[in-house]
């Protein structure tokens, strides 16, 4: 069965702190894709990153970095030096190659960055 | 280039009525997916269309249906509305099915059933 778990429901930090959002997934497929999306109050889901199951290289994009570990089925997201504009709900999602475009989302982590 | 456009943004309907939501994908995108977002159930997949054909369907009752037109625009319909159908409905478009291409989401239609 496919499942994505984001154990942290809410996180509150002070600006400039580093914060890591956890994501654990379950799948039986060998080919799958992992995603992170950001949802600001406007409601739109903003794409942040896509990773396929054969690429375990970590990635850094500005203040954002992602750590993909197949051994622990985790795909964690770190924001360095957080800013108030980072406040949003963040979703981790899984898609299996055999199931086309169906995205399975975690429950989301609401991040609040206070000045 | 224009993003994914969903109309209307907000909608209030009465129990028992039906509703139609519209999604215009990014130009050139031929795959459209729909998701329902509620506080209790989170984001759940409804269905995916490509070339006017439903390719994938989530676990929702038959009251939820959709279609895709030759210009790739998609509509979803919910008949006999229930209070529990109140949700944010999100549409996503992609060049083609499969996640090699990634999905771009619209801002959603917020449906309230009273």
């Amino acid at each position: 069965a496919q499942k994505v778990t984001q154990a942290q429901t809410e996180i509150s930090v002070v600006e400039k702190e580093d914060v890591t959002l956890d994501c654990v997934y379950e799948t039986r497929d060998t080919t799958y894709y992992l995603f992170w999306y950001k949802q600001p109050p406007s409601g739109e889901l903003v794409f942040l990153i896509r990773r396929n199951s054969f690429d375990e290289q970590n990635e850094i994009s500005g203040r954002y970095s992602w750590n993909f570990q197949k051994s622990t089925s985790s795909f964690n997201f770190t924001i360095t030096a957080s800013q108030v504009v980072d406040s949003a709900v963040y979703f981790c999602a899984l898609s299996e190659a055999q199931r086309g475009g169906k995205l399975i989302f975690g429950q989301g982590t609401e991040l609040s960055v206070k000045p | 280039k224009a993003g994914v456009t969903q109309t209307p943004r907000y909608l209030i309907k009465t129990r028992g009525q039906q509703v139609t939501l519209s999604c215009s994908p990014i130009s050139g995108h031929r795959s459209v997916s729909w998701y329902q977002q509620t506080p209790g159930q989170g984001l759940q997949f409804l269905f995916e269309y490509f070339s006017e054909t439903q390719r994938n369907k989530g676990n929702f009752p038959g009251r939820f249906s959709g279609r895709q037109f030759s210009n790739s625009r998609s509509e979803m319909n919910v008949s006999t509305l229930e209070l529990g159908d109140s949700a944010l409905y999100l549409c996503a478009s992609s060049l083609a099915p499969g996640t090699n291409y990634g999905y771009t989401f619209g801002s959603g239609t917020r449906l309230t059933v009273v």
Side-chain angles (χ1 to χ4, degrees), chain A residues 79-91:
Chain A
I79 301 175
T80 302
S82 60
Q83 300 176 0
V84 172
V85 293
D86 295 327
S87 296
V89 181
Y90 291 85
F91 290 94

Side-chain angles (χ1 to χ4, degrees), chain B residues 21-25 32-34 47 49 66-69 71-76 91:
Chain B
L21 312 182
S22 178
C23 173
S24 293
V32 173
S33 302
W34 289 88
F47 24 65
Y49 287 88
R67 59 178 175 168
Q68 187 179 35
F69 302 95
N71 62 358
S72 295
R73 190 177 71 85
S74 177
E75 289 181 347
M76 68 162 280
C91 163

Side-chain angles (χ1 to χ4, degrees), chain A residues 6-7 22 41 69 111:
Chain A
Q6 294 179 255
D22 298 332
Q69 291 196 343
L111 174 64

Side-chain angles (χ1 to χ4, degrees), chain A residues 44-115:
Chain A
E44 181 177 351
L45 283 170
V46 178
F47 169 82
L48 296 177
I49 190 172
R50 176 178 69 248
R51 259 286 176 268
N52 72 57
S53 52
F54 300 107
D55 182 4
E56 283 193 76
Q57 275 196 329
N58 292 329
E59 181 158 336
I60 298 175
S61 176
R63 297 183 297 106
Y64 295 171
S65 63
W66 291 270
N67 183 305
F68 176 26
Q69 291 196 343
K70 285 178 75 170
S71 61
T72 56
S73 297
S74 65
F75 187 42
N76 297 337
F77 172 32
T78 297
I79 301 175
T80 302
S82 60
Q83 300 176 0
V84 172
V85 293
D86 295 327
S87 296
V89 181
Y90 291 85
F91 290 94
C92 179
L94 163 73
S95 180
E96 296 165 325
Q98 292 187 16
R99 288 170 179 76
K102 176 182 176 180
L103 288 169
I104 299 149
F105 286 89
Q107 287 298 101
T109 297
E110 183 172 4
L111 174 64
S112 176
V113 182
K114 302 189 185 311

Side-chain angles (χ1 to χ4, degrees), chain A residues 33 39 50 95 99 101 103, chain B residues 35 37 48 56 99-100 102-103:
Chain A
Y33 304 86
Q39 187 175 43
R50 176 178 69 248
S95 180
R99 288 170 179 76
L103 288 169
Chain B
Y35 291 82
Q37 185 177 22
E48 179 183 27
N56 213 341
T99 49
N100 282 333
Y103 285 83

Side-chain angles (χ1 to χ4, degrees), chain B residues 6-60:
Chain B
Q6 291 189 246
T7 57
R9 285 298 310 275
Y10 302 93
L11 206 48
I12 300 176
K13 289 287 188 178
T14 305
R15 264 183 307 176
Q17 288 186 314
Q18 75 165 16
V19 66
T20 299
L21 312 182
S22 178
C23 173
S24 293
I26 290 172
S27 178
H29 283 194
R30 297 170 60 201
S31 176
V32 173
S33 302
W34 289 88
Y35 291 82
Q36 181 197 64
Q37 185 177 22
T38 60
Q41 299 299 317
L43 279 154
Q44 293 186 287
F45 173 78
L46 280 156
F47 24 65
E48 179 183 27
Y49 287 88
F50 176 71
S51 294
E52 302 176 64
T53 302
Q54 188 181 88
R55 286 180 47 94
N56 213 341
K57 189 176 188 306
N59 189 23
F60 277 82

